[in-house]
Amino acid sequence: MARIVVIGAGLGAMATAARLAVAGHRVTVYERGGTYGGAVRRFERDGFGFDTGPGLLHLPAVYRDLFVKTGKEPLEDCVELRQVDPASRHVFADGTRVDLPNASRAGTVSALDEALGAGAGERWGDFLVRAREAWDRTRRPLLEEPQTTDTSSSAREPYPALKAGLLRRPTTTLAQIGARELRDARLAALLDSYAWSYGFDPAAAPAAAAVLPYMEQTFGTWYVGGGIRTLADAVYQRCLKRRVEFVFDTAVDEVVEKAGRAAGVRLSGGEFVEADHVVTGAPVPALYREHVVGWERQDEWPRYQDGGTGRMTVCLALRGAREADAVHRTVVHATADRPFTTVLRPGDPSLRPDADHESVTLTATVKLYPEHDWAGVAEGMVAAAGSAVPDLRERLLWQEVRTPDDTLRETGAAEVPGPALAGGRGAFLPAANRSPLPGLYFAGGWSHPGGGLAHAGMSGALVAGLIVEGADFRGSR
């Protein structure tokens, strides 16, 4: 039985802790804040509730696997999963609207033909066939296998034998290939919207980011009853049942190195906690900025990373019942005076004071700059939401704005990490799960296979495999 310290109580870190505890190890989680979940948080006021992190779940099989592997209770016995249908309504800049069904290629083709004109659906469907080729070629190395710790340029683009289709030109961007192949500004905007929703600027993201719409439209979109915070509750409870110990309001100041490997951690009060392995789910920028890790110290780590993106969230408390034909998710595309905005209207009774009110959550991916007019961005988001919510201004009781500064305060990083992507000469690959320091491992959205609920859960399986199986571990099954 090994002694394992886990830094942080985000979803990826907790997924790692549960798997390691089941394998017979003694696991203690140190969380600098007062609660678990990382970026998966809940804001509540006056009987209204809002998810302030992710609002929907993709690839629920990741958490089904976690619950099967860590106990006898399957995921559906712990949370309610509902398929969202339609998966999304899109309101384009010219006012055109289209509802895309959940996990139905034929239905999507038909809906696009009807809304955008004959042939539009076929072009989108043909493009997703190419996206499927990229998914099939990169699924295992991107999601199921640990990455090398070699940071050389050749190693950071680990797909030389896979370069075909969308992977052929690693410097071609998603926006470029969408404009060239889809031949309709609205279809190109539809493609771009998937990149923005995962925190990527489509003008910089590689063409292989087309796997993102393929993934959603193939495996579906799901809502967790009570909100995504309920999923964090369930994973936390699973950890407790596996006898994982949590210590909240306790920061880790340093990963202590002895004899060339991680030997434990030093807490903010000065106490040294010995460990055979250390797993950190904390954001990589925070680890460097706060000098928690010491093999490559940085004197300064900027508050915002150049080219980084963060999440703006606006919580809206509305009077009046949700109309009968309302959809769960509406994507309002950007115009000159409003940002690309996702409007979530779950219609969940547990998130409102009564049937005569509604809670609505707006999210937008924003570029990070040292100075930013967050109030102006929020106003643009509310204006965009007016395309999705009838009589929004008249119904509005109050709003709560959460900016990347809140994300920075709560998680240690203002950025929201995206999933790992092939192409881009390795620039879109996160940190490997094995750190350069033996005995120290990375889990969570800032490590392979990247950000997002599903990817963070996958990181837990990878790190647990590396620790339990050691050099024999070749990837998840």
Side-chain angles (χ1 to χ4, degrees), residues 2 47 96 98 130 172 190 203 212 228 301 325 396-397 400 411 434 449:
T96 305
V98 61
R130 299 192 65 204
T172 301
L190 175 62
L212 301 176
I228 292 293
W301 192 274
D325 61 347
L396 183 60
L397 294 171
E400 173 75 13
T411 70
R434 270 186 295 239

Side-chain angles (χ1 to χ4, degrees), residues 123-436:
R123 288 197 301 279
W124 179 259
D126 289 346
F127 185 80
L128 286 196
V129 169
R130 299 192 65 204
R132 176 181 179 177
E133 295 171 354
W135 169 265
D136 289 342
R137 289 173 179 270
T138 63
R139 176 185 59 83
R140 183 146 184 85
L142 273 183
L143 301 180
E144 299 170 2
E145 296 177 346
Q147 289 292 331
T148 176
T149 56
D150 185 350
T151 57
S152 65
S153 59
S154 59
R156 292 295 288 170
E157 179 59 281
Y159 312 102
L162 304 178
K163 289 183 179 177
L166 294 174
L167 300 171
R168 184 180 299 119
R169 297 190 181 111
T171 59
T172 301
T173 69
L174 185 71
Q176 289 170 335
I177 201 164
R180 183 170 68 236
E181 297 195 9
L182 295 174
R183 304 191 307 279
D184 183 305
R186 294 164 299 183
L187 286 179
L190 175 62
L191 179 62
D192 289 351
S193 72
Y194 287 93
W196 282 118
S197 68
Y198 282 90
F200 296 117
D201 181 347
V211 298
L212 301 176
Y214 171 79
M215 181 179 69
E216 284 201 25
Q217 294 192 11
T218 300
F219 301 108
T221 301
W222 302 75
Y223 175 70
V224 178
I228 292 293
R229 178 67 184 182
T230 306
L231 177 64
D233 295 339
V235 175
Y236 174 66
Q237 290 299 323
R238 177 54 52 91
C239 286
L240 294 180
K241 289 180 179 179
R242 300 287 79 83
R243 299 185 179 178
V244 174
E245 181 183 359
F246 285 82
V247 183
F248 293 105
D249 298 312
T250 302
V252 171
D253 280 357
E254 180 185 9
V255 173
V256 177
E257 177 184 345
K258 291 183 181 179
R261 63 172 287 114
V265 299
R266 195 171 308 283
L267 305 180
S268 55
E271 177 187 356
F272 170 66
V273 178
E274 189 173 5
D276 299 296
H277 304 280
V278 176
V279 177
T280 176
V284 173
L287 295 174
Y288 283 108
R289 186 177 59 247
E290 299 171 14
H291 304 308
V292 175
V293 293
W295 65 84
E296 188 181 336
R297 291 189 181 276
Q298 302 270 346
D299 290 334
E300 294 292 338
W301 192 274
R303 183 163 167 249
Y304 293 153
Q305 296 298 293
D306 291 340
T309 60
R311 179 185 292 116
M312 281 282 293
T313 302
V314 181
C315 306
L316 303 179
L318 305 184
R319 64 168 63 88
R322 178 179 185 262
E323 66 272 19
D325 61 347
V327 300
H328 190 124
R329 174 172 61 167
T330 300
V331 179
V332 183
H333 291 251
T335 64
D337 59 353
R338 73 186 188 206
F340 166 85
T341 303
T342 298
V343 182
L344 295 179
R345 307 178 65 191
D348 189 331
S350 68
L351 301 180
R352 66 190 188 212
D354 53 50
D356 293 324
H357 293 84
E358 181 184 7
S359 62
V360 175
T361 305
L362 317 181
T363 62
T365 296
V366 294
K367 291 289 193 67
L368 297 177
Y369 304 103
E371 301 296 333
H372 212 304
D373 178 17
W374 298 132
V377 174
E379 179 58 31
M381 293 169 64
V382 174
S387 300
V389 183
D391 304 317
L392 174 62
R393 298 286 186 180
E394 292 77 11
R395 297 177 59 197
L396 183 60
L397 294 171
W398 52 261
Q399 67 183 45
E400 173 75 13
V401 177
R402 298 178 60 81
T403 75
D405 290 333
D406 295 304
T407 308
L408 175 66
R409 173 176 48 82
E410 293 174 350
T411 70
E415 298 84 7
V416 175
L421 297 175
R425 301 194 187 282
F428 294 88
L429 298 177
N433 303 116
R434 270 186 295 239
S435 84

